[in-house]
Amino acid sequence: MKLIRYGMPGREKPGLVDAHGVLRDLSGVTPHLDLPSLGLAGLQRLRRIKPESLPRVRGTPRLGVPFTGISKLVAIGLNYSDHAAESGMRVPTEPIVFMKATTCITGPNDPIELPPGSLKTDWEVELGVVIGKTAKRVSEAQALDHVAGYCVVNDVSERHWQAERGGTWDKGKGFDSFGPIGPWLVTRDEVPDPQVLSMWLDVNGASRQRGNTATMVFSVARIISYVSECMTLLPGDVIATGTPPGVGLGMKPVPQFLKVGDVVSLGIEGLGAQRQVVVPG
């Protein structure tokens, strides 16, 4: 099941995308796609709905974040060995955990706002894992039982603030618009193995990132288990699980970063695609 929210910011309606790619209105069934309220049981009830029984949505409305109730956006750094190499860093022996501010979260096709004076704003396509059941110190074997589904995340990053301004990475990761999520929440039953998903990102139509979740240093199950030792994960929380090589920071001979007018397109196999235009912040 592919769940979606569509409409103007703050006025989004719930919907789903049927097997033919048609957007259907879910507002007659549930007023909100609120994972803290729905949880895994609520998603199971929604799966019993026949999509053809729902009204078809006409036109091409704006897409919002596909669900609400995100209390935390947790991210994992350097989780692909080849990305660690291009960044000039060692492959971690434990997951590197940092946080992205929830105020950075936007719809999948909303613009990226370039911070004033930005020197090194970069792109990162990532698999997002959406929690559906409270996870506290869960085992790796049980970790995926706590997943509601998966989505595409662009972990937009300002590298100067991230690495050269002192302190933690969080500063360069939390600017407004630096967390596009969507277009869909694809429920877990449609992604039997999250470790076999191809992913890609282009800038202005030129290929930048190509990868596969098979090459993660730490698997999705390992990440959920590890993070749940540090903090309780709640329904609706999102974990961005790291990015493959091809970021602007790693380009040779000269790193390349985003500028106003650039267009970023990205996607993950089975999870849909995003498109963002870079605008002044």
Side-chain angles (χ1 to χ4, degrees):
M1 184 169 55
K2 297 178 176 66
L3 298 173
I4 201 165
R5 290 169 65 247
Y6 65 95
M8 297 302 293
R11 297 165 55 189
E12 293 94 343
K13 293 182 177 182
L16 63 78
V17 177
D18 69 18
H20 303 288
V22 175
L23 175 57
R24 303 280 181 170
D25 181 18
L26 260 177
S27 58
V29 177
T30 180
H32 307 290
L33 288 175
D34 175 0
L35 282 186
S37 299
L38 287 171
L40 296 182
L43 293 179
Q44 183 64 37
R45 288 193 295 271
L46 292 180
R47 273 196 287 271
R48 292 196 286 265
I49 296 170
K50 295 181 178 180
E52 61 273 15
S53 69
L54 300 172
R56 181 172 183 162
V57 177
R58 303 294 177 181
T60 54
R62 169 192 170 270
L63 302 182
V65 180
F67 54 94
T68 60
I70 304 172
S71 75
K72 293 186 288 296
L73 176 48
V74 185
I76 307 299
L78 305 178
N79 196 33
Y80 290 72
S81 57
D82 33 15
H83 171 56
E86 72 175 353
S87 301
M89 299 183 183
R90 294 180 179 177
V91 176
T93 56
E94 291 193 31
I96 295 173
V97 180
F98 62 93
M99 309 295 286
K100 288 179 73 77
T102 54
T103 49
C104 83
I105 296 171
T106 59
N109 302 322
D110 292 341
I112 294 172
E113 300 175 10
L114 200 68
S118 171
L119 301 173
K120 299 179 179 180
T121 296
D122 207 344
W123 54 84
E124 295 190 19
V125 58
E126 305 205 6
L127 172 66
V129 179
V130 184
I131 301 299
K133 182 172 69 172
T134 298
K136 182 175 182 177
R137 293 191 291 271
V138 301
S139 69
E140 191 169 336
Q142 296 174 325
L144 296 186
D145 294 337
H146 294 73
V147 172
Y150 302 92
C151 58
V152 181
V153 176
N154 188 356
D155 176 18
V156 185
S157 309
E158 215 294 341
R159 305 296 189 190
H160 179 64
W161 277 89
Q162 177 187 353
E164 301 171 35
R165 297 289 295 263
T168 65
W169 287 7
D170 304 50
K171 293 188 297 185
K173 298 285 191 169
F175 285 96
D176 290 354
S177 79
F178 274 27
I181 295 177
W184 313 317
L185 166 63
V186 180
T187 50
R188 190 180 69 202
D189 57 298
E190 292 199 13
V191 187
D193 185 354
Q195 303 303 155
V196 294
L197 304 177
S198 298
M199 51 208 309
W200 60 274
L201 183 145
D202 297 343
V203 178
N204 299 326
S207 176
R208 290 292 178 258
Q209 291 186 274
R210 296 293 185 274
N212 193 290
T213 57
T215 64
M216 283 183 177
V217 178
F218 306 105
S219 69
V220 169
R222 172 66 176 135
I223 289 168
I224 295 170
S225 177
Y226 185 91
V227 173
S228 77
E229 293 182 33
C230 308
M231 64 193 79
T232 299
L233 294 168
L234 302 175
D237 286 352
V238 180
I239 305 175
T241 56
T243 198
V247 300
L249 177 67
M251 294 188 69
K252 302 292 189 293
V254 180
Q256 296 183 23
F257 300 105
L258 294 173
K259 60 186 183 300
V260 171
D262 284 347
V263 178
V264 183
S265 304
L266 61 149
I268 298 177
E269 179 184 357
L271 304 185
Q274 302 181 354
R275 181 183 185 274
Q276 298 110 26
V277 178
V278 181
V279 302

